[in-house]
């Protein structure tokens, strides 16, 4: 008997877990009261933390914000006064150079780009053709203020941040745009304000990035190449381009969790996002966690105490009892491990009841085994005597055939004798088998084939026989009609077998399994140069159909290339059904 598997089941169905859960529910009001008391502290701490984080970012972004706002004001003022400037390129360029000089190195290039693209009015006073410039084409198509990053600006010769503003004449007709370029080297050289103050900057300086409304990175204190790794991985810069300041925690593109603060530098155009590792900002963030720490620790401690108490008082005794029950169901009738002196009275009562139940079961099992053994001995004896009686009848029929002078009578009695011997073979298999509910089909059919060939062959009558029998177990209710069907089929095959040009008639008999629940019996014989032994009465075909109905079989016959084939397909009955039939009616197989 196989060892039954220990039932695991979901974790929540275990006794210890359920008791711990019940105790945790009982302690829940205490946790709720503690949580309510700390709610006000949590809200206050969060507000202070958000203000501190946003304030640090605003302070750090002050230098860049000042420079960008100044550039925006300057380019707006230039655009408004372009129609009043001197008309000659040289004089216009002088004004542009003056703007660069007054910026004290903050600007690298100032230019006016007319619609024609001939930008000769610039701070370098050099001819500049921007007819094919993508930015010029975009500005001419949609005149509005913009901010653009040029990693390798032609005029400045370096990476710049360019502020543009459209220019309109007195009739509000667009005539071009003004652009002021700020080198990134100037932006990066300006140390963020308050770099040495505030707890946020003790371990790592703030990473400050500016971007436009389309999500393009404009500047970065880390450099433009490293900036994309520090932006939030689950939010785009376009979604963060809003005119309201806010703080949040997110995972950066490089996989590190960081604290972010976002606010607008130039409303609707330029935005700043500052970030730092979560460990750097642990000061105020720890206030978010501490109010809930003590209730959580109390809850975990109560669970631990409940689990240990349950293990000590209940669970270990239940496991011992389960091991004993599992061992008993697997066939081990030794009742070890049921001595539970320190268990609770209720558990000891269960163990004692199980002990009494096992004693009763063992006693009843012994009596049942004795009854089954006696029934098996009697049933084997019945099968043995039936087999002997059938063989005696076959011998009497053989003696009668020898004394009969009618060929027709001999043929009829020979057919009856073969059927009787088939039944005798079945009963011999039933009393020789180790169990009474099944019969080995390969041994049974081989014996029947051997007996029929022994009676059908002689000095002038030989057969070439090919057999194949799968190892199938059949119930007696199936073995009997199958054996009788095979007897009739072999009798017909031998009767109508021809030499087929080889000199020796050929017989093929096979029983094969098809799938899990089907079996196929095939009997075929050669038909060439047919010599019929005796006249056909039609009884064999009727018997084949009758036995096939008992098997619930489908019978097909075909003739091809001088070979006659009988194919019988039938379902295999379950052996458990046969065992149930034996218990209900031990003589049903007779």
């Amino acid at each position: 008997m196989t060892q039954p598997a220990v039932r695991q089941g979901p974790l929540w169905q275990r006794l210890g877990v359920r008791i711990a859960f019940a105790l945790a529910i009982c302690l829940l009001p205490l946790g709720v009261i503690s949580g309510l008391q700390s709610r006000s502290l949590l809200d206050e701490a969060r507000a202070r933390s958000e203000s501190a984080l946003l304030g640090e970012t605003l302070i750090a972004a002050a230098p860049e914000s000042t420079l960008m706002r100044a550039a925006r004001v300057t380019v707006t003022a230039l655009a408004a006064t372009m129609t009043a400037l001197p008309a000659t390129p040289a004089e216009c360029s002088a004004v542009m150079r003056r703007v660069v000089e007054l910026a004290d190195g903050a600007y690298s290039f100032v230019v006016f780009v007319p619609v024609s693209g001939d930008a000769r009015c610039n701070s370098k006073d050099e001819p500049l053709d921007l007819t094919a410039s993508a930015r010029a084409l975009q500005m001419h198509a949609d005149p509005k203020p913009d901010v653009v990053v040029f990693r390798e600006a032609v005029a400045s010769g370096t990476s710049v941040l360019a502020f543009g503003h459209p220019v309109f004449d007195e009739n509000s007709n667009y005539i071009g745009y003004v652009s002021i370029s700020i080198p990134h080297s100037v932006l990066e050289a300006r140390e963020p304000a308050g770099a040495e103050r505030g707890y946020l900057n003790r371990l790592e300086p703030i990473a400050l990035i500016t971007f436009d409304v389309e999500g393009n990175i404009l500047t970065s204190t880390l450099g433009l190449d490293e900036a994309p790794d520090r932006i939030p991985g689950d939010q785009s810069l376009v979604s963060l381009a809003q005119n309201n300041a806010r703080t949040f925690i997110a995972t950066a593109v490089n996989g590190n969790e960081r604290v972010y603060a976002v606010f607008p530098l130039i409303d609707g155009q330029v935005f700043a996002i500052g970030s730092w590792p979560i460990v750097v900002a642990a000061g105020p963030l720890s206030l978010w966690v501490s109010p809930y720490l003590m209730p959580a620790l109390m809850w975990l401690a109560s669970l631990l105490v409940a689990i240990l108490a349950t293990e000590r008082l209940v669970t270990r005794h239940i496991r011992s009892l389960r091991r004993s029950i599992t061992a008993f169901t697997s066939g081990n009738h030794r009742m070890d491990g049921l001595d539970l002196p320190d268990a609770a009275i209720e558990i000891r009562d269960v163990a004692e009841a199980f002990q009494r139940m096992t004693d009763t079961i063992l006693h009843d099992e012994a009596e049942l085994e004795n009854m089954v053994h006696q029934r098996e001995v009697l049933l084997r004896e019945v099968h043995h005597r039936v087999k002997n009686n059938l063989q005696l009848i076959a011998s009497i029929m053989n003696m009668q055939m020898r004394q009969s002078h009618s060929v027709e009578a001999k043929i009829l009695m020979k057919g009856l004798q073969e059927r009787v011997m088939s039944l005798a073979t079945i009963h011999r298999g039933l009393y020789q088998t180790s169990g009474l509910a099944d019969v080995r089909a390969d041994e049974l059919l081989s014996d029947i084939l051997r007996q029929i060939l022994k009676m059908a062959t002689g000095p002038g009558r030989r057969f070439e026989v090919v057999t194949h029998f799968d190892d199938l177990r059949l119930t007696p209710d199936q073995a009997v009609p199958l054996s009788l069907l095979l007897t009739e089929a072999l009798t017909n095959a031998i009767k109508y077998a021809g030499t087929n040009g080889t000199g020796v008639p050929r017989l093929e008999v096979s029983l094969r399994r098809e799938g899990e629940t089907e079996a196929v019996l095939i009997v075929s014989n050669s038909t060439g140069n047919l010599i019929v032994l005796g006249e056909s009465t039609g009884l064999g075909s009727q018997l084949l159909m009758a036995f096939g109905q008992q098997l619930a079989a489908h019978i097909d016959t075909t003739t091809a290339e001088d070979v006659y084939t009988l194919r019988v397909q039938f379902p295999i009955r379950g052996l458990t059904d046969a065992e149930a039939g034996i218990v209900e009616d031990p003589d049903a197989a007779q």
Side-chain angles (χ1 to χ4, degrees):
M1 183 180 295
T2 59
Q3 180 77 12
V6 177
R7 184 178 182 182
Q8 298 295 332
L11 183 63
W12 62 270
Q13 291 186 354
R14 295 176 179 259
L15 178 62
V17 174
R18 290 192 173 189
I19 294 179
F21 179 74
L23 184 56
I25 294 298
C26 294
L27 294 176
L28 184 60
L30 179 62
V32 172
I33 294 174
S34 178
L36 292 176
Q37 290 178 345
S38 61
R39 180 63 180 271
S40 58
L41 177 62
L42 177 63
D43 294 340
E44 182 181 355
R46 181 181 293 112
R48 290 201 306 267
S49 299
E50 290 180 353
S51 300
L53 300 180
L54 189 58
E56 289 287 338
T57 306
L58 288 171
I59 293 173
E64 288 190 14
S65 176
T66 301
L67 187 57
M68 290 183 183
R69 290 179 182 275
R72 172 56 64 197
V73 171
T74 302
V75 75
T76 303
L78 275 177
T81 59
M82 277 304 299
T83 55
L85 292 179
T88 64
E91 293 174 341
C92 183
S93 297
V95 175
M96 299 300 178
R97 285 196 302 273
R98 183 59 179 167
V99 172
V100 173
E101 292 172 358
L102 292 176
D104 194 19
Y107 305 152
S108 62
F109 187 63
V110 181
V111 62
F112 169 66
V113 183
V115 176
S116 63
D118 184 12
R120 288 183 293 173
C121 177
N122 59 72
S123 60
K124 295 189 178 297
D125 194 15
E126 297 176 355
L128 186 62
D129 185 7
L130 298 179
T131 305
S133 170
R135 185 196 185 192
L137 296 175
Q138 176 65 30
M139 181 66 79
H140 296 336
D142 185 17
K144 64 180 180 179
D146 69 349
V147 182
V148 182
V149 174
F150 291 104
R151 300 301 297 271
E152 294 182 4
V154 176
S156 301
T158 183
S159 177
V160 300
L161 180 64
F163 289 81
H165 197 285
V167 178
F168 301 92
D169 60 12
E170 59 274 5
N171 296 322
S172 299
N173 295 320
Y174 172 74
I175 61 174
Y177 69 94
V178 179
S179 177
I180 294 179
S181 299
I182 304 176
H184 279 110
S185 58
V186 174
L187 294 169
E188 294 172 358
R190 300 205 173 195
E191 183 177 357
E196 300 300 331
R197 60 187 294 275
Y199 58 85
L200 294 179
N201 296 316
R202 291 175 182 172
L203 298 180
E204 180 180 311
I206 187 172
L208 185 64
I209 299 172
T210 61
F211 59 96
D212 61 13
V213 71
E214 296 180 355
N216 300 313
I217 297 177
L218 304 178
T219 65
S220 172
T221 57
L222 306 172
L224 294 179
D225 294 333
E226 189 177 349
D229 291 337
R230 301 297 180 91
I231 64 177
D234 58 348
Q235 299 185 56
S236 65
L237 292 180
V238 175
S239 65
L240 297 177
Q242 302 176 11
N243 287 328
N244 58 314
R246 60 194 181 100
T247 60
F248 60 93
I249 299 175
T251 302
V253 173
N254 60 9
N256 297 327
E257 192 173 18
R258 302 179 69 85
V259 180
Y260 291 92
V262 184
F263 61 93
L265 283 181
I266 301 176
D267 289 348
Q269 296 182 7
V270 181
F271 306 85
I273 179 171
S275 69
W276 46 88
I278 193 73
V279 294
V280 178
L285 292 178
S286 62
L287 296 177
W288 297 9
V289 179
S290 57
Y292 297 112
L293 182 60
M294 185 56 66
L297 292 177
M298 292 177 60
W299 182 76
L300 291 175
S302 66
L303 288 182
L304 180 61
V305 171
I307 292 173
L308 293 178
T310 304
E311 172 67 21
R312 177 65 182 173
L313 299 177
V314 179
T315 309
R316 65 189 183 101
H317 302 304
I318 296 297
R319 281 201 301 269
S320 298
L321 187 59
R322 182 183 64 179
R323 283 195 297 267
S324 299
I325 295 174
T326 303
F328 181 80
T329 56
S330 64
N332 183 8
H333 295 166
R334 295 180 57 187
M335 292 294 100
D336 298 333
L338 281 183
D339 187 12
L340 307 174
D342 56 343
I345 295 178
E346 293 83 358
I347 297 178
R348 291 205 305 269
D349 289 343
V350 173
E352 292 173 0
F354 173 68
Q355 183 75 53
R356 292 192 298 271
M357 181 188 69
T358 54
D359 292 341
T360 303
I361 291 175
L362 292 176
H363 180 266
D364 295 343
E365 187 179 84
E367 291 185 350
L368 182 60
E369 288 180 355
N370 183 46
M371 293 173 59
V372 170
H373 177 70
Q374 293 180 5
R375 182 187 63 82
E376 184 175 341
V377 171
L378 292 174
L379 195 53
R380 288 182 187 276
E381 182 64 22
V382 169
H383 287 307
H384 182 62
R385 295 194 179 189
V386 170
K387 186 266 299 183
N388 290 342
N389 291 337
L390 291 173
Q391 288 181 338
L392 178 60
I393 294 172
S395 299
I396 294 174
M397 295 175 67
N398 191 35
M399 294 172 60
Q400 189 68 36
M401 282 190 297
R402 293 175 183 174
Q403 296 179 2
S404 177
H405 299 288
S406 172
V407 176
E408 182 179 357
K410 287 183 177 181
I411 293 175
L412 290 175
M413 294 187 69
K414 184 177 182 181
L416 292 175
Q417 184 188 33
E418 292 172 353
R419 297 183 182 105
V420 171
M421 289 302 299
S422 296
L423 288 173
T425 303
I426 294 171
H427 284 280
R428 184 179 66 180
L430 288 174
Y431 83 78
Q432 287 181 346
T433 186
S434 58
L436 295 176
D438 59 2
V439 179
R440 286 195 58 172
D442 53 345
E443 295 179 356
L444 176 63
L445 299 187
S446 296
D447 288 345
I448 294 174
L449 177 62
R450 186 166 46 252
Q451 291 181 11
I452 293 177
L453 288 175
K454 182 179 180 181
M455 291 185 291
T457 57
R461 185 68 167 168
R462 298 293 180 184
F463 295 90
E464 178 185 355
V465 183
V466 179
T467 62
H468 177 85
F469 298 112
D470 286 346
D471 184 10
L472 294 179
R473 302 280 179 161
L474 300 178
T475 65
D477 290 343
Q478 286 188 305
V480 172
L482 180 63
S483 301
L484 296 175
L485 188 149
L486 177 62
T487 300
E488 296 300 328
L490 285 175
T491 301
N492 291 338
I494 292 173
K495 181 178 181 180
Y496 295 103
T499 59
N500 206 21
T502 60
V504 178
R506 178 182 176 86
L507 296 177
E508 292 188 12
V509 183
S510 65
L511 178 65
R512 300 179 185 273
R513 182 187 295 272
E514 282 198 357
E516 296 295 330
T517 60
E518 297 284 333
V520 176
L521 173 68
I522 298 177
V523 179
S524 62
N525 61 274
S526 57
T527 59
N529 301 323
L530 179 62
I531 301 175
V532 180
L533 301 178
E535 297 181 357
S536 173
T537 62
L539 179 60
S541 299
Q542 296 178 12
L543 292 175
L544 285 176
M545 296 302 296
F547 298 143
Q549 290 179 357
Q550 295 183 33
L551 287 170
H554 180 70
I555 301 177
D556 289 327
T557 58
T558 57
T559 302
E561 298 181 357
D562 296 333
V563 176
Y564 176 83
T565 302
L566 172 70
R567 187 177 188 275
V568 182
Q569 183 174 358
F570 62 94
I572 302 175
R573 185 183 178 191
L575 298 181
T576 54
D577 298 337
E579 292 175 354
I582 289 177
V583 173
E584 295 173 1
D585 186 2
D587 298 326
Q590 304 302 318

